[in-house]
Amino acid sequence: MKVFDGHNDALLRIYQDPTPATFEAFLAGGSSLHIDLAKARTGGLVGGLFAIFPPSPMAGDLADLLGGPGYDLPLPDPLAHPVGADSTIAMASILLRLETASKGGLTVCRSVAEIEAAIARGSLAAVLHIEGAEAIDPDLHMLDVLYAAGLRSVGMVWSRNNHFAHGVPMRFPSSPDTGPGLLEPGRRLVKRCNELGVLLDLSHLNERGFWDVAELSDAPLVATHSNVHALCPVSRNLTNEQLDAVARSRGVVGLNFATAFLREDGRMDPDTPLDTMRRHLDALLERLGEDGVALGSDFDGATIPNAIGSSAGLPALIDHLAAAGYSEALIERISWRNWLSVLDRTWKA
């Protein structure tokens, strides 16, 4: 079964370890990453949104910080625009260099037609996405530059505030209603992304920001890697009211494999059964319908269930869903068709 994935952080991992060995291991296989070309082929991963995340310094190990019965991590300090721009450009360069060095093994795609063509010839279809838009100036000049380089998806915030919007803190248990909505540059960013046909990713945006985008945007509402708040009450997950709004817009939510956003106890624990993931998929299907549910793994950015382990382990999830009674047609929608459909309805080219 083919899988097109809504979110991974492989570029961040290569950026954080910029040795030739890391770069080459992504191309040749045998890397420590959740995604490399060999693992992708083994697991049926045919493409996805490759996130660029300008990193924040973290005070402590995230697995320890999210390991207790409850947590409330303060928002990291905002990143200055030049700092965000530097790391974003560096990671975009990594993706473009991977495309050249892979000699057809990876293709940066700017349209659904290009995604379909890449998949047909066995090339990993990579879509340039940013998670945290600190690289984009309030006047949006950098948005046009990044769009020309291939940017087709924008998450305005990570879990920190910037000049566009407010992110949700890493907090459990917590409502996603944690602060003010969009700032004026954020409202302009929504409109400009609509004009360009750039997908707006609502993951990491707080609830008031979500509703601001829902009011302003004329595109389907999309959360690339978020789960069901009613099952795991962490600030990052979506309430039933938010899911209903996504459904009304004919949008999509990608199931996040991060165990801290799956488990009822909110723990970052790899000993999490696949049935926990299926419960979220069942709930998403109930609110969104069969055309609104997809996968957004957070590979290379989160602790995921041991039963999957990496992109090579994706068949374990597919087999689990089939054993649970999901039809082949439904699994196809969830694993790849729904992403291509919503991208086709969002992008202008």
Side-chain angles (χ1 to χ4, degrees), residues 2-337:
K2 294 183 287 192
V3 175
F4 188 92
D5 182 39
H7 185 93
N8 75 71
D9 286 295
L11 297 177
L12 172 66
R13 297 303 172 213
I14 298 172
Y15 170 75
Q16 290 177 323
D17 183 14
T19 61
T22 304
F23 188 92
E24 291 300 326
F26 178 91
L27 297 170
S31 76
S32 61
L33 302 175
H34 287 154
I35 295 177
D36 59 37
L37 292 186
K39 291 187 180 81
R41 285 191 295 271
T42 298
L45 181 67
V46 297
L49 274 62
F50 277 65
I52 290 174
F53 163 56
S56 277
M58 297 298 294
D61 182 78
L62 195 59
D64 293 336
L65 294 171
L66 305 187
Y71 46 82
D72 186 0
L73 278 61
L75 287 171
D77 292 336
L79 288 184
H81 166 63
V83 176
D86 285 349
S87 59
T88 296
I89 291 169
M91 281 179 267
S93 173
I94 288 170
L95 183 60
L96 295 171
R97 287 189 287 116
L98 285 171
E99 179 180 36
T100 300
S102 72
K103 298 179 180 178
L106 178 147
T107 302
V108 178
C109 297
R110 296 164 174 83
S111 69
V112 172
E114 290 183 2
I115 292 173
E116 292 173 336
I119 293 172
R121 63 177 181 269
S123 182
L124 185 63
V127 175
L128 184 58
H129 163 77
I130 58 175
E131 179 184 36
E134 284 82 1
I136 300 174
D137 54 290
D139 293 324
L140 311 183
H141 301 308
M142 183 61 83
L143 177 62
D144 294 325
V145 174
L146 291 171
Y147 182 83
L151 180 69
R152 292 297 182 272
S153 178
V154 170
M156 280 190 277
V157 292
W158 179 67
S159 288
R160 63 184 171 232
N161 301 333
N162 61 25
H163 43 257
F164 296 116
H166 296 81
V168 288
M170 296 181 188
R171 182 183 297 165
F172 179 89
S174 173
S175 161
D177 186 11
T178 60
L182 301 187
L183 302 172
E184 185 54 37
R187 302 174 77 86
R188 295 198 300 270
L189 179 60
V190 170
K191 292 298 187 181
R192 182 59 178 150
C193 284
N194 282 176
E195 291 169 1
L196 289 171
V198 171
L199 183 143
L200 286 160
D201 178 17
L202 300 172
S203 295
H204 286 286
L205 193 61
N206 69 15
E207 186 173 2
R208 294 188 193 181
F210 174 100
W211 292 118
D212 285 345
V213 174
E215 178 184 355
L216 290 167
S217 180
D218 59 17
L221 300 177
V222 172
T224 62
H225 58 307
S226 293
N227 294 336
V228 180
H229 191 270
L231 297 178
C232 174
V234 67
S235 55
R236 270 277 284 108
N237 284 342
L238 299 173
T239 66
N240 286 340
E241 293 76 17
Q242 290 174 297
L243 293 173
D244 290 344
V246 173
R248 289 192 297 270
S249 76
R250 298 179 61 220
V252 164
V253 174
L255 176 77
N256 193 325
F257 295 8
T259 61
F261 306 146
L262 289 166
R263 298 171 58 94
E264 291 182 359
D265 61 11
R267 290 178 182 268
M268 189 179 283
D269 182 353
D271 188 21
T272 297
L274 295 178
D275 192 58
T276 304
M277 302 177 74
R278 185 181 58 78
R279 289 179 64 234
H280 281 265
L281 286 173
D282 288 345
L284 289 170
L285 287 165
E286 181 179 351
R287 309 302 297 206
L288 302 172
E290 293 189 358
D291 295 329
V293 184
L295 303 178
S297 68
D298 216 351
F299 280 143
D300 290 307
T303 297
I304 66 171
N306 284 332
I308 296 176
S310 74
S311 56
L314 284 166
L317 176 60
I318 301 302
D319 292 345
H320 177 81
L321 297 180
Y326 282 44
S327 70
E328 183 175 355
L330 176 56
I331 293 173
E332 281 192 356
R333 288 190 183 98
I334 292 170
S335 65
W336 65 276
R337 289 190 184 276

